[in-house]
Structures are given as structure tokens and as C-alpha cells.
Amino acid sequence: MGTIIAYRKGYTGKTAKVLAKALGADAIGLMAPRGRLHLNPTLLICWGVGVDENAGASLNAHCFASFDKREAMRLFIRAGVLTPLLVTGEAPYGFDTIWRPRHHSGGRDAIIVPEDARVEIPEGWFGVQFMPSDKEYRIHIAGGQVIFAQRKVPEEGADPLIRSHNRGWRFVSFEPRNAEALLYASATNAVRALGLHFAAVDVIHGPYGYAVLEANSAPGLEEGSLQKYVEYFRREENRYVEREDEGRVRVAPPAAPPAWTAAVVTTNNAG
């Protein structure tokens, strides 16, 4: 059996199917974020869904930590990745906060609460310090390398505080440069902290340096970023094909580092 892309039904299927078509692979939807796939593909690519059991080689099979954004933030903090402060206890906190559901995507559900305000927060949401920033990036990491870099730019009437597509912001790509080394270190360390093979990491820049907001294990892709993921997955596919043609035992992709244990580059001081 060839390559299979597993996705979570109702959440990550659109992009997974586009990837599958580009790779000539099969796309299989699973009902839960933690599913089971009783197949033996040459390569299993988990696109926004994890699997408990799989007999073949896989990428991001254990990406469960990326689904719960609050728990992901805790893993970032534990690994030494600079992030906004997680809110604990009751107000006042001494700073503005932003609240979101623990399982969210995009900028549809977000509440910014000023320091002196009292707002009823929906059950199941979590809060972090609202950090002012002058730039926001999305850095795509695969196999421990930057494969694509984007920054967010506003359209007319864009929300000045929450930078999301449905609030008037769009991505533009740029060529990675050595000058952004700390930006890439922040993104790479975030992916390592969650034990992922690949992810798109949202990073902001402000007076404090670079801070990670979240890592997406099933990001939306445009033409340029789609091509980079296809090239990465092709390299992983060819790893097995070449070994099989030579009569050798198939070798799995390099294991994703366990969450929390990665060596961390300090990103508190931006250059």
C-alpha cells in the first residue's frame, strides 16, 4: 500500500484531499482527533489527526498535544519557548488578556479583555496575556527545517488587534534570511516541544522579541506552501522506495523528538 493521508472528518479534510491529489495518495477521514487506522501504508501522513495504532511508518502520528491549545502552551513553557503568559486564578491579572476555546482555529473565537474589565468567559476557554506586537509570522517547519515563511499583512479595514483571515489579514511569503534566525529558532523549538515532524507555527514580534502563539498540525495551504509540503512528503516517500529497490529493510522517518525534551535556543532577546 502506498501513502495515506489521514485527516479529521469535518475539520482538516479540504487541505488533506488537495495534498493527497498532489501526491497521488489516498485520503482517509477519521471521526475523532485520536483515531485508529488498521492499515499498513508505506507512509502515513497525519494531517491534524493522531492515531493510536499504525503498523507502517508515519509522520505526526502522535500530534495529540497540538489539538488542545492550552496544553500546547504549557508544553511550550516547559520547553523554554517564549510565549504569552498563561492566565491562572481570578482577575485582576495586571495586564490585558485574550481568551479563546482550548480547541480553536482561525480568529473566529477570541475575546480581548482589558486589564480593568470584568467579562464572563465561556466555559472551556483559556486566557493568555495580550502581548502587543508589530509583526506576525507563520513559519512552516518540516523535518527540523524551515520550508516556507510567511508574514501577515492587513487589508483595508483589518482588525488592528486580532490578525486572522476573517478579520482582514492575509499571508505574503518571503525568503528566509539569516537575519531572522531567532524567529526560525522559536518556530523550530515549538515544533520540537510538541514532538511533531511538521507544523506551521504562528509567531509574533514585539518589544520582548519573538513569542510563539501556536503550532498548527494541519495548516491551510496556498500554492507556494502546498508545493513545499509536497516536496517534503516526496522526500520521505522516496526514502522508502529507494531502500526497497535496493533490497534493504524499510527505514522509518527520523523520529519526532519527545515533547518537552528538546534542546532550546533562548529567544528572549531579539537581534
Side-chain angles (χ1 to χ4, degrees):
M1 181 175 290
T3 297
I4 289 178
I5 299 180
Y7 64 90
R8 185 180 179 189
K9 284 187 175 181
Y11 289 86
T12 61
K14 182 177 179 180
T15 303
K17 291 174 183 177
V18 172
L19 271 170
K21 182 177 180 179
L23 289 167
D26 294 321
I28 296 179
L30 302 178
M31 292 302 296
R34 194 182 188 107
R36 294 189 176 189
L37 188 69
H38 300 292
L39 297 170
N40 185 19
T42 302
L43 178 65
L44 172 64
I45 301 168
C46 293
W47 195 258
V49 64
V51 295
D52 285 320
E53 295 180 6
N54 173 57
S58 60
L59 298 171
N60 275 16
H62 303 289
C63 61
F64 312 118
S66 66
F67 305 142
D68 188 325
K69 303 300 184 180
R70 187 183 69 180
E71 293 308 307
M73 292 287 284
R74 288 177 172 171
L75 296 183
F76 294 152
I77 293 169
R78 186 170 178 178
V81 176
L82 181 62
T83 68
L85 294 174
L86 267 174
V87 169
T88 59
E90 298 181 356
Y93 304 111
F95 46 75
D96 296 349
T97 55
I98 181 168
W99 295 79
R100 306 194 70 178
R102 291 175 63 170
H103 304 85
H104 67 258
S105 62
R108 290 179 293 276
D109 300 314
I111 301 174
I112 295 177
V113 180
E115 176 184 350
D116 56 353
R118 297 292 183 271
V119 176
E120 185 174 347
I121 303 299
E123 184 177 354
W125 288 37
F126 74 102
V128 299
Q129 178 187 17
F130 179 78
M131 302 178 78
S133 60
D134 55 4
K135 298 182 182 70
E136 185 169 337
Y137 303 89
R138 173 162 287 187
I139 307 301
H140 298 262
I141 306 294
Q145 303 293 323
V146 177
I147 62 169
F148 200 71
Q150 298 170 294
R151 64 169 57 91
K152 289 187 176 181
V153 297
E155 298 178 332
E156 185 176 355
D159 188 318
L161 298 178
I162 299 176
R163 301 184 181 102
S164 64
H165 178 73
N166 64 317
R167 300 196 185 210
W169 291 79
R170 61 185 177 87
F171 285 116
V172 296
S173 62
F174 66 95
E175 288 296 324
R177 303 176 300 174
N178 290 337
E180 285 96 9
L182 288 174
L183 167 62
Y184 307 137
S186 299
T188 302
N189 288 334
V191 174
R192 289 174 177 169
L194 299 183
L196 300 176
H197 289 95
F198 63 85
V201 184
D202 292 337
V203 185
I204 56 175
H205 178 269
Y208 40 78
Y210 293 105
V212 170
L213 298 181
E214 63 181 18
N216 304 282
S217 58
L221 301 179
E222 302 169 357
E223 183 176 352
S225 54
L226 172 65
Q227 182 59 34
K228 294 300 182 180
Y229 278 89
V230 169
E231 292 172 1
Y232 166 64
F233 294 141
R234 284 283 186 224
R235 289 195 296 272
E236 295 302 324
E237 285 181 325
N238 292 337
R239 182 196 306 275
Y240 315 122
V241 172
E242 291 169 1
R243 295 297 178 105
E244 288 178 334
D245 289 348
E246 295 170 6
R248 300 178 183 177
V249 176
R250 183 184 303 158
V251 177
W260 320 315
T261 62
V264 175
V265 177
T266 301
T267 60
N268 295 58
N269 298 313

Coordinates of all heavy atoms in Angstrom, one line a residue, residues 7-68:
Y7 N -7.0 12.4 8.0 CA -7.4 13.7 8.4 C -8.6 13.5 9.4 O -9.2 12.5 9.4 CB -7.8 14.6 7.3 CG -8.9 14.1 6.4 CD1 -10.2 14.5 6.7 CD2 -8.7 13.2 5.3 CE1 -11.3 14.0 6.0 CE2 -9.8 12.8 4.6 CZ -11.1 13.2 4.9 OH -12.1 12.7 4.2
R8 N -8.9 14.6 10.1 CA -10.1 14.5 11.0 C -11.3 15.0 10.2 O -11.4 16.1 9.7 CB -9.8 15.4 12.2 CG -11.0 15.3 13.2 CD -10.7 16.2 14.4 NE -11.8 16.1 15.4 CZ -11.9 16.9 16.5 NH1 -11.0 17.9 16.7 NH2 -12.9 16.8 17.3
K9 N -12.3 14.2 10.1 CA -13.5 14.5 9.4 C -14.2 15.8 10.0 O -14.3 15.9 11.2 CB -14.5 13.3 9.5 CG -14.2 12.2 8.6 CD -15.3 11.1 8.6 CE -15.1 10.0 7.7 NZ -16.1 9.0 7.6
G10 N -14.5 16.6 9.0 CA -15.2 17.9 9.4 C -14.3 19.0 9.8 O -14.7 20.1 10.1
Y11 N -13.0 18.7 9.9 CA -12.0 19.8 10.3 C -10.9 20.0 9.3 O -10.6 21.2 9.0 CB -11.5 19.4 11.7 CG -12.4 19.5 12.8 CD1 -13.3 18.4 13.1 CD2 -12.6 20.6 13.6 CE1 -14.2 18.5 14.1 CE2 -13.5 20.7 14.6 CZ -14.3 19.6 14.9 OH -15.2 19.7 15.9
T12 N -10.2 19.0 8.9 CA -9.0 19.2 8.1 C -9.0 18.5 6.8 O -8.0 18.3 6.2 CB -7.8 18.7 9.0 OG1 -7.9 17.2 9.2 CG2 -7.6 19.4 10.3
G13 N -10.2 18.1 6.3 CA -10.3 17.3 5.1 C -10.0 18.0 3.8 O -9.4 17.5 2.9
K14 N -10.3 19.3 3.7 CA -10.2 20.1 2.5 C -8.7 20.1 2.0 O -8.4 19.7 0.9 CB -10.7 21.5 2.6 CG -10.6 22.3 1.4 CD -11.3 23.7 1.5 CE -11.2 24.5 0.3 NZ -11.8 25.8 0.4
T15 N -7.8 20.5 2.9 CA -6.4 20.6 2.6 C -5.8 19.2 2.4 O -5.0 19.0 1.5 CB -5.6 21.4 3.6 OG1 -6.2 22.7 3.7 CG2 -4.2 21.6 3.2
A16 N -6.2 18.3 3.3 CA -5.7 16.9 3.2 C -6.0 16.3 1.8 O -5.2 15.6 1.2 CB -6.3 16.0 4.3
K17 N -7.2 16.6 1.3 CA -7.5 16.0 0.0 C -6.7 16.7 -1.2 O -6.4 16.0 -2.1 CB -9.0 16.2 -0.3 CG -9.9 15.3 0.7 CD -11.4 15.5 0.5 CE -12.2 14.7 1.5 NZ -13.6 15.0 1.5
V18 N -6.5 17.9 -1.0 CA -5.6 18.6 -2.0 C -4.2 18.0 -2.0 O -3.6 17.8 -3.1 CB -5.6 20.1 -1.8 CG1 -4.6 20.8 -2.7 CG2 -7.0 20.8 -2.0
L19 N -3.7 17.8 -0.8 CA -2.4 17.2 -0.7 C -2.4 15.8 -1.3 O -1.4 15.4 -2.0 CB -2.0 17.1 0.8 CG -1.2 18.3 1.4 CD1 -1.2 18.2 2.9 CD2 0.2 18.5 0.8
A20 N -3.4 15.0 -0.9 CA -3.5 13.6 -1.4 C -3.5 13.6 -3.0 O -2.8 12.8 -3.6 CB -4.7 13.0 -0.9
K21 N -4.2 14.5 -3.6 CA -4.3 14.6 -5.0 C -2.9 14.9 -5.6 O -2.5 14.3 -6.6 CB -5.3 15.6 -5.5 CG -5.5 15.7 -7.0 CD -6.5 16.7 -7.4 CE -6.7 16.8 -8.9 NZ -7.7 17.8 -9.3
A22 N -2.2 15.9 -5.0 CA -0.9 16.3 -5.5 C 0.1 15.1 -5.3 O 1.1 15.0 -6.1 CB -0.4 17.5 -4.7
L23 N 0.0 14.3 -4.3 CA 0.9 13.2 -4.0 C 0.5 11.9 -4.7 O 1.3 10.9 -4.7 CB 1.0 13.0 -2.5 CG 1.7 14.0 -1.7 CD1 1.5 13.8 -0.2 CD2 3.2 14.0 -2.0
G24 N -0.7 11.9 -5.3 CA -1.3 10.6 -5.8 C -1.5 9.6 -4.7 O -1.4 8.4 -4.8
A25 N -1.9 10.1 -3.5 CA -2.1 9.3 -2.3 C -3.6 9.2 -2.0 O -4.5 9.8 -2.6 CB -1.4 9.9 -1.1
D26 N -3.9 8.3 -1.1 CA -5.3 8.2 -0.6 C -5.5 9.0 0.6 O -4.6 9.2 1.5 CB -5.6 6.7 -0.2 CG -5.6 5.8 -1.5 OD1 -6.1 6.2 -2.5 OD2 -5.1 4.7 -1.3
A27 N -6.7 9.6 0.8 CA -7.1 10.4 1.9 C -8.2 9.7 2.7 O -9.2 9.3 2.1 CB -7.5 11.8 1.5
I28 N -8.0 9.5 4.0 CA -8.9 8.8 4.8 C -9.3 9.6 6.0 O -8.5 10.1 6.7 CB -8.3 7.4 5.3 CG1 -8.1 6.5 4.1 CG2 -9.3 6.7 6.3 CD1 -7.5 5.2 4.5
G29 N -10.6 9.8 6.2 CA -11.1 10.6 7.3 C -11.4 9.8 8.5 O -11.9 8.7 8.4
L30 N -10.9 10.3 9.7 CA -11.2 9.6 10.9 C -12.1 10.5 11.7 O -12.1 11.7 11.7 CB -9.9 9.4 11.7 CG -8.8 8.6 10.9 CD1 -7.5 8.5 11.8 CD2 -9.3 7.2 10.6
M31 N -12.9 9.8 12.6 CA -14.0 10.5 13.3 C -13.5 11.3 14.5 O -14.2 12.3 14.9 CB -15.1 9.5 13.7 CG -15.9 8.9 12.6 SD -16.7 10.1 11.5 CE -17.9 10.8 12.7
A32 N -12.4 11.0 15.1 CA -12.0 11.6 16.3 C -10.6 12.1 16.1 O -9.9 11.7 15.2 CB -12.1 10.7 17.5
P33 N -10.2 13.1 17.0 CA -8.8 13.5 16.9 C -7.8 12.5 17.3 O -6.6 12.6 17.1 CB -8.8 14.7 17.8 CG -9.9 14.5 18.8 CD -10.9 13.8 18.0
R34 N -8.3 11.4 17.9 CA -7.4 10.3 18.3 C -8.0 9.0 17.7 O -8.7 8.3 18.4 CB -7.2 10.2 19.8 CG -6.1 9.4 20.3 CD -6.1 9.4 21.9 NE -4.9 8.7 22.4 CZ -3.9 9.3 22.9 NH1 -3.9 10.6 23.1 NH2 -2.9 8.7 23.4
G35 N -7.6 8.7 16.5 CA -8.3 7.5 15.8 C -7.4 6.3 15.7 O -6.3 6.3 16.2
R36 N -7.9 5.3 15.0 CA -7.2 4.1 14.7 C -7.2 3.8 13.2 O -8.3 4.0 12.6 CB -7.7 2.9 15.5 CG -7.5 3.1 17.0 CD -7.9 1.8 17.8 NE -7.6 1.9 19.2 CZ -7.7 0.9 20.0 NH1 -8.0 -0.3 19.6 NH2 -7.4 1.1 21.3
L37 N -6.1 3.4 12.7 CA -6.0 3.1 11.3 C -5.4 1.7 11.1 O -4.2 1.5 11.3 CB -5.2 4.1 10.6 CG -5.1 4.1 9.0 CD1 -6.5 4.5 8.5 CD2 -4.1 5.0 8.5
H38 N -6.2 0.7 10.8 CA -5.8 -0.6 10.7 C -5.3 -1.0 9.3 O -5.9 -1.8 8.6 CB -6.9 -1.6 11.2 CG -7.3 -1.3 12.6 ND1 -6.5 -1.6 13.7 CD2 -8.5 -0.8 13.1 CE1 -7.2 -1.2 14.8 NE2 -8.4 -0.8 14.5
L39 N -4.3 -0.2 8.9 CA -3.7 -0.4 7.6 C -2.2 -0.4 7.7 O -1.7 0.0 8.7 CB -4.2 0.7 6.6 CG -5.7 0.7 6.3 CD1 -6.1 2.0 5.6 CD2 -6.2 -0.5 5.6
N40 N -1.5 -0.8 6.6 CA -0.1 -0.8 6.6 C 0.5 0.0 5.4 O 1.0 -0.6 4.5 CB 0.4 -2.2 6.6 CG 1.9 -2.3 6.7 OD1 2.6 -1.3 7.2 ND2 2.5 -3.4 6.4
P41 N 0.3 1.3 5.4 CA 0.8 2.1 4.2 C 2.3 2.2 4.2 O 3.0 2.0 5.3 CB 0.2 3.5 4.5 CG 0.0 3.6 5.9 CD -0.3 2.2 6.4
T42 N 2.9 2.5 3.1 CA 4.3 2.8 3.0 C 4.6 4.0 3.9 O 5.6 4.0 4.6 CB 4.7 3.1 1.6 OG1 4.4 2.0 0.8 CG2 6.2 3.4 1.5
L43 N 3.8 5.0 3.8 CA 3.9 6.2 4.7 C 2.5 6.7 5.1 O 1.7 6.9 4.2 CB 4.7 7.3 3.9 CG 4.9 8.6 4.6 CD1 5.8 8.4 5.9 CD2 5.5 9.7 3.7
L44 N 2.3 7.0 6.3 CA 1.1 7.6 6.8 C 1.4 9.0 7.3 O 2.3 9.2 8.1 CB 0.6 6.8 8.1 CG -0.6 7.4 8.8 CD1 -1.8 7.5 7.9 CD2 -0.9 6.7 10.1
I45 N 0.7 9.9 6.6 CA 0.8 11.4 7.0 C -0.4 11.7 7.8 O -1.5 11.7 7.2 CB 1.0 12.2 5.7 CG1 2.2 11.8 4.9 CG2 1.0 13.7 6.1 CD1 2.2 12.4 3.5
C46 N -0.2 12.1 9.0 CA -1.3 12.5 9.9 C -1.5 14.0 9.8 O -0.7 14.8 10.3 CB -1.1 12.1 11.3 SG -1.1 10.3 11.5
W47 N -2.6 14.4 9.2 CA -2.9 15.8 8.9 C -4.0 16.3 9.9 O -5.2 16.2 9.6 CB -3.4 16.0 7.5 CG -3.3 17.5 7.0 CD1 -4.4 18.3 6.9 CD2 -2.2 18.2 6.6 NE1 -4.0 19.6 6.4 CE2 -2.6 19.5 6.3 CE3 -0.8 17.9 6.6 CZ2 -1.8 20.5 5.9 CZ3 0.0 18.9 6.2 CH2 -0.4 20.2 5.9
G48 N -3.5 16.8 11.0 CA -4.5 17.3 12.0 C -5.2 16.2 12.8 O -6.3 16.5 13.4
V49 N -4.7 15.0 12.7 CA -5.4 13.9 13.5 C -4.3 12.9 13.9 O -3.3 12.7 13.2 CB -6.4 13.1 12.6 CG1 -5.8 12.5 11.5 CG2 -7.2 12.2 13.5
G50 N -4.4 12.4 15.1 CA -3.4 11.4 15.6 C -4.0 10.0 15.5 O -5.2 9.8 15.4
V51 N -3.1 9.0 15.5 CA -3.6 7.7 15.5 C -2.9 6.9 16.7 O -1.8 7.1 17.0 CB -3.3 6.9 14.2 CG1 -4.0 7.6 13.1 CG2 -1.8 7.0 13.9
D52 N -3.7 6.1 17.3 CA -3.2 5.2 18.4 C -2.4 4.1 18.0 O -1.4 3.6 18.6 CB -4.4 4.8 19.3 CG -4.9 5.9 20.2 OD1 -4.1 6.7 20.7 OD2 -6.2 5.9 20.3
E53 N -2.8 3.5 16.8 CA -2.2 2.3 16.3 C -1.9 2.4 14.8 O -2.8 2.9 14.1 CB -3.0 1.1 16.6 CG -3.2 0.8 18.1 CD -4.1 -0.5 18.3 OE1 -4.4 -1.1 17.2 OE2 -4.4 -0.8 19.4
N54 N -0.7 2.1 14.4 CA -0.4 2.1 13.0 C 0.8 1.2 12.7 O 1.8 1.3 13.4 CB -0.1 3.5 12.5 CG 0.4 3.5 11.1 OD1 -0.3 3.1 10.2 ND2 1.6 4.1 10.8
A55 N 0.7 0.3 11.8 CA 1.7 -0.7 11.5 C 2.9 -0.1 10.6 O 3.9 -0.7 10.6 CB 1.1 -1.9 10.9
G56 N 2.6 1.0 9.9 CA 3.6 1.5 9.0 C 4.4 2.6 9.5 O 4.2 3.1 10.7
A57 N 5.3 3.2 8.7 CA 6.0 4.4 9.0 C 5.0 5.6 9.0 O 4.1 5.6 8.2 CB 7.1 4.6 8.1
S58 N 5.3 6.6 9.8 CA 4.3 7.7 9.9 C 5.0 9.0 10.2 O 6.1 9.1 10.8 CB 3.2 7.4 11.0 OG 3.8 7.2 12.2
L59 N 4.3 10.1 9.9 CA 4.6 11.4 10.3 C 3.5 12.1 11.1 O 2.3 12.0 10.7 CB 4.9 12.3 9.0 CG 6.0 11.8 8.1 CD1 6.0 12.6 6.8 CD2 7.4 12.0 8.8
N60 N 3.8 12.6 12.2 CA 2.9 13.3 13.1 C 1.8 12.4 13.6 O 0.7 12.8 13.9 CB 2.2 14.5 12.4 CG 3.1 15.8 12.5 OD1 4.2 15.7 12.9 ND2 2.5 16.9 12.2
A61 N 2.1 11.1 13.8 CA 1.0 10.2 14.2 C 0.6 10.5 15.7 O -0.5 10.2 16.1 CB 1.5 8.7 14.1
H62 N 1.5 11.1 16.4 CA 1.2 11.4 17.9 C 1.2 12.9 18.1 O 1.9 13.4 18.9 CB 2.3 10.7 18.7 CG 2.4 9.2 18.6 ND1 1.4 8.4 19.0 CD2 3.3 8.5 18.0 CE1 1.7 7.1 18.7 NE2 2.9 7.2 18.0
C63 N 0.3 13.5 17.3 CA 0.3 15.0 17.4 C -0.9 15.5 18.3 O -1.4 16.6 18.1 CB 0.1 15.6 15.9 SG -1.5 15.1 15.1
F64 N -1.2 14.7 19.2 CA -2.4 15.0 20.1 C -2.2 16.3 20.9 O -3.1 17.0 21.1 CB -2.6 13.9 21.1 CG -2.6 12.5 20.5 CD1 -1.7 11.5 20.8 CD2 -3.6 12.2 19.5 CE1 -1.7 10.3 20.3 CE2 -3.6 10.9 18.9 CZ -2.6 10.0 19.3
A65 N -1.0 16.6 21.2 CA -0.7 17.8 22.0 C -1.1 19.1 21.3 O -1.4 20.1 21.9 CB 0.7 17.9 22.5
S66 N -1.0 19.1 20.0 CA -1.3 20.3 19.2 C -2.8 20.6 19.1 O -3.2 21.7 18.8 CB -0.8 20.2 17.8 OG -1.5 19.1 17.1
F67 N -3.7 19.7 19.5 CA -5.1 19.9 19.4 C -5.6 20.8 20.5 O -6.5 21.7 20.3 CB -5.9 18.6 19.5 CG -5.5 17.6 18.4 CD1 -5.5 16.3 18.7 CD2 -5.2 18.0 17.2 CE1 -5.1 15.3 17.8 CE2 -4.8 17.1 16.2 CZ -4.7 15.7 16.5
D68 N -5.1 20.6 21.7 CA -5.5 21.4 22.9 C -4.5 22.5 23.0 O -3.4 22.4 23.5 CB -5.5 20.5 24.1 CG -6.1 21.2 25.4 OD1 -5.9 22.4 25.5 OD2 -6.7 20.5 26.2

